[in-house]
């Protein structure tokens, strides 16, 4: 009896295992790419852009390390805006 109960409980928990295995970031949406907005690139909506999130915009990837002024490995909205501005001539 206990074996059947444990087996039933294990089977019922299988769908929950998929939730635990999901990556931290969601896949980029159709609105990402060159010129994407901060909100579009911040796919997990934590208020900052990680390198995996920035990878949806190749130009941002190139400037990521210089745009990350505080060196925390993320771009906040201010750092993103500085990186997104066209260079002044």
């Amino acid at each position: 009896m206990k074996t059947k109960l444990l087996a039933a409980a294990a089977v019922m928990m299988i769908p929950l295992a998929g939730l635990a295995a999901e990556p931290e970031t969601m896949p980029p949406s159709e609105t990402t790419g060159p010129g994407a907005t901060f909100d579009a690139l911040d796919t997990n909506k934590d208020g900052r852009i990680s390198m995996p999130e920035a990878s949806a915009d190749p130009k941002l990837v190139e400037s990521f390390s210089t745009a990350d002024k505080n060196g925390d490995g993320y771009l906040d909205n201010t750092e993103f805006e500085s990186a997104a501005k066209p260079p002044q001539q």
Side-chain angles (χ1 to χ4, degrees):
M1 180 69 176
K2 286 184 181 180
T3 305
K4 287 182 182 181
L5 183 59
L6 286 174
V11 169
M12 291 172 53
M13 296 180 89
I14 289 173
L16 298 176
L19 293 175
E22 285 186 24
E24 182 180 324
T25 59
M26 295 177 267
S29 68
E30 310 78 50
T31 58
T32 59
T37 65
F38 181 87
D39 290 332
L41 291 170
D42 181 18
T43 57
N44 65 356
K45 305 302 178 205
D46 66 350
R48 57 191 189 167
I49 298 172
S50 64
M51 181 58 88
E53 291 170 319
S55 68
D57 184 344
K59 284 188 170 190
L60 185 57
V61 170
E62 289 177 18
S63 62
F64 192 93
S65 61
T66 54
D68 182 16
K69 299 294 184 196
N70 62 2
D72 66 352
Y74 297 92
L75 299 182
D76 61 28
N77 200 9
T78 304
E79 292 170 327
F80 172 78
E81 292 299 327
S82 295
K85 286 182 186 174
Q88 295 180 349
Q89 295 178 356

